[in-house]
Structure formats: C-alpha cells, structure tokens
Amino acid sequence: MKIIEVESYEDMSRKAADIIKGVVCSKPNAVLGLATGSTPEGVYRCLIEDNKKGLIDFSKVTSFNLDEYEGLDGSNPNSYRYYMDNKLFNHINIHKERTFVPDGMAEDLEKECKAYDEKISLAGGIDLQILGIGSNGHIGFNEPADMLIPSTHVTELTEETIKANSRFFPSLDQVPRRAVTMGMGSILKARRILLLASGKNKADVIDRLLQGDISTSLPASMLHMHRDVTLIVDKEAASKISNDCCA
Ligand code: F6R
C-alpha cells in the first residue's frame, strides 16, 4: 500500500482529484468506482471545478457507486443516488445513463445485486475505485464480521455505522438498517484503488489498518491483498500511525 500523507482535508481532496484526472485523461472512457459520505465531498468539488475549467472531460466516463440504502429512492435526500446527483453528476458533463448506483428500491434485491456485478463486468471492470473508510474499518457497507461476502449483496448495518450515519438523518430511527453494497471481492477487482481518510475520528482505524494484519474484523485490511492501493491520509487521520507499521 502506497501512503501519501498530506496536511489537510483540502490537500487530500486535491491530490485525489488530480489522480482521478490523470486516469480519465489517459483513458477517456474510464470506469470509476465512487463512494459517498463526508470524505469524498471535497474531491467532487475539485472535479467539478476542473470540469468547468475544461481540465477533465467526463463525457465518456462510466461510474459505479459502492452502495445504497435499502428502501430509499433517488428523490430521497438521504439516498446515495441523490447525494451523487447533487454533489457531482448534476454539475459535470457525465451522461447520467452511464452513472450506476445500486437500486435500494428493487423488488428483488438479490437479483439487483447479481445484475450490478454483471454490469460492472460488462463495462470492462473498474479502472479506479475511490474508497472512504468507516471508523470500524468498513469499506462500502462491508461491516466487520466473521465472514465477508465477496460479491454485491444486501447487508445489515452495524449499530456503530447506523449511529455514525445518523448525522445525515432527522433521527436515529430513520437510518435504514439494511443496504446494498459491493462486496470486498467486487472492490478488489478494481485495477487501482484510492483510499481516502481525513480527520481525528479516522486516526485509530488508520493505525489499525497499517499494522498490516488481514482480518475480516477489519474489512479494509483486505486491501493489503491488492497490488495497487494508494492511501491518501491527512495529518489528523495519520496522527496515530505507529512508526513500526508495516504497510
Ligand atoms: C460510502 C461508503 C462508506 C463510507 C464510510 C466513511 O459510500 O461506502 O464506506 O466511505 O462510511 O464515511 P465518511 O466519509 O462519511 O466518514
């Protein structure tokens, strides 16, 4: 795992946007794997800025998002489709029909999951996957567990994640308990992975991750098995990395 330590959230965002720009410039029809949450918001702002300046062209890009809550449709401000439309897609020249987010409203969610992995394969696989990390080590909604499911699947959210994500909802009760997520196997198939972490509340998990052990109790540790992962971490999130870490 390559580690890039930067000063601030803004620097992390700019660095990540520049890497995405590099990928799209060298492959205009690149397939991007995208994440939601607080972490990539700054990256998306930088990409919008660059797109407006003509520095990046999304007209041939395809995107696949990591996850979506069960039971929320795209008009719900808490859905990840709504997030992506409002924080990125509506402001850049991407073709909406080439932006994919799992459908948390699908009548048959199992079928939706299978179809989602097939769509990724048909698109040629993900060239660059952007990831945030949960403070419990989750990636997408692959929560710590005895076993992890490799393909896209429906999952129960942990209490910790429900609590962490309740900051976006009017109340804790309104946070969906289940979600559709790409599995760790689907994520690890990406050719290149960019993991982003910012802020003090990520310092413990980044320290754990960089101890180097691989365990399903820390889903992000599976990333150690991938040959091309870059972690961009700001000063606060890097503040607990022990010197003897073996990343
Ligand atoms: C979002 C996602 C999650 C987040 C993680 C960190 O699509 O898959 O795994 O990346 O929960 O969230 P933030 O960035 O809000 O700290």
Side-chain angles (χ1 to χ4, degrees), residues 96-167:
K96 276 272 181 78
E97 62 278 14
R98 278 210 287 269
T99 66
F100 298 96
V101 179
D103 179 5
M105 295 289 288
E107 220 168 274
D108 185 340
L109 279 180
E110 302 301 329
K111 210 165 142 193
E112 166 65 14
C113 293
K114 201 163 170 267
Y116 201 70
D117 280 331
E118 281 165 8
K119 263 186 263 179
I120 296 174
S121 298
L122 272 174
I126 291 172
D127 291 300
L128 178 67
Q129 175 68 55
I130 311 302
L131 297 174
I133 181 169
S135 48
N136 65 357
H138 75 215
I139 291 290
F141 278 130
N142 294 278
E143 299 281 25
D146 291 340
M147 280 195 307
L148 296 176
I149 301 172
S151 53
T152 298
H153 60 280
V154 181
T155 186
E156 307 275 336
L157 306 190
T158 61
E159 283 309 314
E160 195 175 348
T161 298
I162 292 168
K163 219 166 132 202
N165 291 5
S166 67
R167 68 191 195 278

Side-chain angles (χ1 to χ4, degrees), residues 34-41 65-68 80 83 130-136 138-142 161 164-165 167-168 181 196 198 201-202:
L34 300 176
T36 58
S38 305
T39 309
E41 285 190 23
N65 263 77
L66 279 170
D67 42 16
E68 179 60 285
Y80 287 167
Y83 170 114
I130 311 302
L131 297 174
I133 181 169
S135 48
N136 65 357
H138 75 215
I139 291 290
F141 278 130
N142 294 278
T161 298
N165 291 5
R167 68 191 195 278
F168 300 112
T181 182
L196 308 176
S198 162
N201 65 334
K202 299 293 167 69

Side-chain angles (χ1 to χ4, degrees), residues 1 131 139 184 187-188 193 195 209 214 218-229:
M1 188 176 291
L131 297 174
I139 291 290
M184 285 309 302
I187 293 167
L188 288 169
I193 296 177
L195 174 64
L209 172 68
I214 296 173
L218 186 71
S221 67
M222 300 280 148
L223 299 175
H224 288 303
M225 293 190 288
H226 192 282
R227 69 172 72 198
D228 194 352
V229 179

